[in-house]
Amino acid sequence: MAGSLISQSEQVFIVHGVENDFRSDGRSSIDYRPMELETDVVSHASGSARLRLANTDILVGVKTEIDVPKPETPGLGKIEFFVDCSANATPEFEGRGGEQLANTISSTMQRAYYSPQAFNLKQLCIFEGKQCWKLYVDILILECGGNLCDAVSLAVKAALFNTRLPCVKAALMDGGNIDLQLSDDPYDSKQLDIGTAPLLVTLCKIGTKCVVDPSAEEERCSVISLVVGVTGNPNFYQTDDNVIPDIKCKCSTISMNGPGSLSPKTLKSAIEQGITAANCLDNALGDALLREKDEISYLKKHSYGFLK
């Protein structure tokens, strides 16, 4: 996927290392590479985030507009994903080389977020059957170093956490028309509830075992990969005073890529491994976002001058 060429001896070395639960970079089969996350990096977007996972670099921007809900779901808002693969990310993306990969990632994210158990689209409804918010999630792949789906889902969830929707007052006028009044105060806005938003976990089958967060070289040694979408835990994005008991993470989507196959036993084990990895990722992401939110609130509280 990332355009990395390796020799036959390197493939044997990687496969044997995975069999012994000791990968070429020293990780075990369930370990992720180091990540760096920034939010609010695009000034003209309603929300944004940039995530770097080893050599994979993802930039996400969220834009909002008011739209008409679908007739079959009058009480739900809309969310759409657009993926752009930069030609500088890898030589394979030159021309229209990254178009198929972009369509695959966007469709996987669309299925994961439109699952009834995942992202709550009711919070995007303004006036049932008349007006709703529509979120455009633009995803730019700046650099490709393997494991794109996981990195994209993490960056998208962080960008949605950073997204602010202006407060809207809606009134039904004569003739069935809607009169909307949007607040022009940047601080008069609401934050999205992204606690149950799903994360994607990619598991590559190398030899007889599955590993998470495959590098570009490991993806070359895999004959099939499994992408598991797992719903999030709202408790990771709230304070201790608002803990919801008995939260269980569930699969929102499953897809397989590659010419290989998985036995039922291996498939079940891989899904359980994906749910465990997603739960750990979600916990770490929630801690990082809440910590950054507290730091920003502290700076705003202690700002001085007439421009505060």
Side-chain angles (χ1 to χ4, degrees):
M1 183 181 291
S4 176
L5 298 177
I6 59 177
S7 65
Q8 184 68 29
S9 58
E10 288 176 309
Q11 291 185 16
V12 172
F13 177 77
I14 291 175
V15 172
H16 288 177
V18 171
E19 292 289 343
N20 294 321
D21 198 23
F22 193 83
R23 296 155 77 175
S24 57
D25 52 8
R27 293 180 292 152
S28 68
S29 60
I30 59 173
D31 289 338
Y32 273 79
R33 292 169 290 179
M35 303 182 197
E36 296 179 6
L37 177 65
E38 297 177 83
T39 58
D40 202 16
V41 292
V42 181
S43 59
H44 60 272
S46 300
S48 60
R50 183 172 183 176
L51 180 95
R52 189 170 184 89
L53 173 61
N55 294 328
T56 298
D57 198 358
I58 308 293
L59 178 64
V60 176
V62 180
K63 295 182 179 180
T64 60
E65 74 171 19
I66 295 178
D67 200 2
V68 179
K70 298 179 181 178
E72 61 271 19
T73 55
L76 303 180
K78 300 178 181 178
I79 183 170
E80 291 187 2
F81 298 90
F82 303 92
V83 180
D84 183 20
C85 299
S86 172
N88 296 326
T90 176
E92 289 185 357
F93 291 168
E94 293 181 358
R96 301 181 64 180
E99 187 173 328
Q100 182 178 359
L101 176 61
N103 293 335
T104 301
I105 296 176
S106 61
S107 62
T108 302
M109 293 294 296
Q110 198 83 9
R111 290 197 309 269
Y113 270 78
Y114 271 90
S115 172
Q117 302 170 341
F119 188 62
N120 182 18
L121 293 173
K122 292 182 180 180
Q123 61 184 315
L124 301 179
C125 180
I126 300 174
F127 200 97
E128 186 172 347
K130 298 292 185 178
Q131 300 287 343
C132 70
W133 286 107
K134 185 175 184 179
L135 305 182
Y136 293 96
V137 183
D138 297 318
I139 304 164
L140 177 60
I141 300 176
L142 299 173
E143 191 174 353
C144 183
N147 200 18
L148 287 177
C149 289
D150 299 33
V152 165
S153 67
L154 286 164
V156 166
K157 191 164 185 175
L160 291 175
F161 181 87
N162 182 245
T163 300
R164 298 295 186 271
L165 297 179
C167 290
V168 180
K169 295 181 180 179
L172 185 61
M173 308 298 289
D174 295 338
N177 297 323
I178 302 295
D179 181 31
L180 297 179
Q181 295 181 353
L182 273 72
S183 175
D184 55 358
D185 185 357
Y187 295 102
D188 187 16
S189 60
K190 67 175 184 178
Q191 187 178 5
L192 292 174
D193 180 13
I194 53 96
T196 57
L199 292 178
L200 301 180
V201 176
T202 303
L203 299 108
C204 278
K205 183 183 178 184
I206 302 177
T208 60
K209 291 188 176 182
C210 293
V211 298
V212 301
D213 187 23
S215 62
E217 293 77 15
E218 289 174 337
E219 287 179 346
R220 287 291 180 179
C221 301
S222 174
V223 293
I224 187 171
S225 62
L226 178 71
V227 180
V228 182
V230 183
T231 59
N233 190 333
N235 291 333
F236 297 151
Y237 301 86
Q238 297 178 357
T239 58
D240 295 337
D241 299 334
N242 301 318
V243 174
I244 303 174
D246 300 330
I247 296 294
K248 293 184 179 180
C249 299
K250 301 178 181 179
C251 288
S252 60
T253 183
I254 297 177
S255 61
M256 288 188 289
N257 303 310
S261 61
L262 293 172
S263 65
K265 182 179 179 181
T266 304
L267 178 61
K268 182 179 179 181
S269 175
I271 293 175
E272 293 176 352
Q273 185 178 351
I275 293 176
T276 302
N279 191 55
C280 296
L281 276 180
D282 202 30
N283 192 2
L285 179 63
D287 288 342
L289 293 176
L290 288 177
R291 185 168 59 251
E292 185 179 36
K293 181 181 178 181
D294 292 339
E295 293 175 356
I296 294 175
S297 300
Y298 177 82
L299 292 175
K300 287 182 178 178
K301 186 183 298 184
H302 292 79
S303 61
Y304 300 94
F306 61 91
L307 292 178
K308 62 181 179 180

